[in-house]
Amino acid sequence: MEGHVKGARREGASPVQIMEAIWVAAELRAGSAYAHANEALAVLDQIDGA
């Protein structure tokens, strides 16, 4: 997950765009998307210093 988030940010994706992708995934597959969303948000916080 960390590689995907960092790659998306490197390619110019905003945190909002990443969250949109997470919500689309959640609609398709709620259980695993929720777990991965937490990982993705932790990486975003780490990258953006929040």
Side-chain angles (χ1 to χ4, degrees):
M1 186 54 54
E2 182 174 343
H4 290 298
V5 174
K6 287 181 177 180
R9 292 292 278 148
R10 193 170 37 253
E11 293 296 320
S14 70
V16 171
Q17 290 170 316
I18 293 169
M19 278 304 305
E20 183 177 352
I22 290 168
W23 284 113
V24 169
E27 290 177 4
L28 297 173
R29 196 163 199 150
S32 62
Y34 179 77
H36 288 112
N38 287 326
E39 290 181 41
L41 293 173
V43 174
L44 280 174
D45 285 346
Q46 185 180 51
I47 292 170
D48 294 336

